[in-house]
């Protein structure tokens, strides 16, 4: 995504119907597409493949019980306050696979009042990037792009289709509330391979934002905290 043309295509695809990916590429760069843009486009345009940008690093880094319960409770309290203030919306995007989206509550700017949590989580994300071998340059210069609590339940919030987090470099998902069921699974796709990422309360998953991911259909309520840089 350091290639400007490739990045422009990713941004355009996030606001374009998935049936028009080839037309989107033509509109973005036409006959002047860079080799990186063409390679990326060829990968995601392959019929039936959950393919995404190739990587030689680990697809996802998981930290078990990485967030202490007091911090989890604080994040839940922030989300409750922001939801009561009306800072939430039902959102759905990604490939059509029978899911209906999630309920998102924005924690910015409220979370900036808790720099100690942000500092610890950024250190964890930086450590993950180094461990995984993603080659993220100047990690310290990255700033929070979004901080959200996502709720999944029945009706209009049963999961999320394949997508990537355009505009971000690293994504962190922390489980707040889970259930006894094995559904509602985070999946990350790299090199045309899908990795299941089961999480319990306090567990954290970190992955490159450009790698496609989704949440499979949920049958019991659960919620996660998401932080992107």
């Amino acid at each position: 995504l350091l290639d400007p043309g490739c990045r422009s295509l990713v941004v355009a695809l996030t606001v374009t119907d998935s049936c028009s990916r080839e037309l989107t590429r033509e509109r973005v760069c036409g006959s002047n597409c860079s080799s990186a843009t063409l390679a990326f486009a060829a990968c995601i345009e392959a019929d039936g493949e959950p393919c995404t940008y190739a990587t030689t690093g680990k697809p996802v880094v998981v930290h078990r019980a990485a967030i202490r319960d007091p911090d989890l409770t604080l994040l839940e309290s922030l989300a409750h306050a922001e939801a009561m203030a009306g800072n939430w919306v039902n959102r759905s995007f990604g490939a059509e696979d029978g899911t209906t989206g999630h309920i998102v509550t924005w924690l910015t700017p409220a979370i900036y009042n808790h720099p100690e949590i942000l500092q610890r989580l950024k250190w964890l994300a930086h450590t993950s990037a180094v461990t995984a071998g993603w080659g993220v340059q100047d990690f310290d210069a990255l700033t929070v792009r979004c901080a959200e609590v996502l709720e999944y339940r029945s009706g209009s919030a049963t999961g999320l289709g394949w997508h990537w987090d355009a505009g971000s470099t690293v994504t962190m998902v922390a489980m707040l509330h889970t259930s006894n069921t094995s559904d509602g699974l985070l999946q990350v796709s790299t090199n045309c391979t899908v990795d299941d990422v089961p999480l319990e309360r306090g567990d954290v998953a970190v992955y490159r934002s450009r790698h496609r991911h989704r949440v499979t259909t949920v049958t019991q309520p659960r919620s996660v905290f998401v932080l992107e840089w």
Side-chain angles (χ1 to χ4, degrees), residues 138-155:
D138 198 12
F139 199 101
D140 289 340
L142 296 180
T143 58
V144 173
R145 178 175 172 268
C146 66
E148 306 170 335
V149 166
L150 310 180
E151 297 178 67
Y152 297 92
R153 53 196 188 207
S154 60

Side-chain angles (χ1 to χ4, degrees), residues 5 8-9 12-13 16 20-33 37-38 41 45:
S8 296
L9 177 61
L13 285 169
T16 302
S20 303
R21 287 176 296 191
E22 185 174 352
L23 293 177
T24 301
R25 175 172 53 81
E26 287 295 320
R27 185 169 63 251
V28 169
C29 53
S31 61
N32 297 316
C33 295
T37 304
L38 291 174
E45 289 168 12

Side-chain angles (χ1 to χ4, degrees), residues 51-183:
C51 195
T52 164
Y53 206 92
T55 179
T56 57
K58 296 179 63 175
V60 58
V61 178
V62 177
H63 304 272
R64 300 297 178 191
I67 301 183
R68 301 171 300 179
D69 200 66
D71 289 339
L72 295 171
T73 301
L74 174 60
L75 292 171
E76 291 169 326
S77 298
L78 287 176
H80 178 72
E82 293 301 309
M84 293 297 291
N87 296 326
W88 66 274
V89 68
N90 184 270
R91 184 172 66 186
S92 179
F93 50 82
E96 295 295 333
D97 57 5
T99 55
T100 58
H102 54 210
I103 296 170
V104 53
T105 300
W106 296 290
L107 298 193
T108 49
I111 198 170
Y112 295 136
N113 294 323
H114 304 277
E116 68 286 352
I117 294 181
L118 289 176
Q119 184 177 4
R120 285 200 300 272
L121 294 179
K122 188 171 185 178
W123 174 85
L124 193 62
H126 190 181
T127 300
S128 302
V130 173
T131 300
W134 294 331
V136 178
Q137 302 296 317
D138 198 12
F139 199 101
D140 289 340
L142 296 180
T143 58
V144 173
R145 178 175 172 268
C146 66
E148 306 170 335
V149 166
L150 310 180
E151 297 178 67
Y152 297 92
R153 53 196 188 207
S154 60
S156 61
T158 61
L160 208 60
W162 288 112
H163 66 285
W164 53 84
D165 301 327
S168 299
T169 301
V170 173
T171 297
M172 169 181 286
V173 176
M175 181 63 73
L176 296 177
H177 171 74
T178 187
S179 65
N180 294 326
T181 61
S182 59
D183 57 12

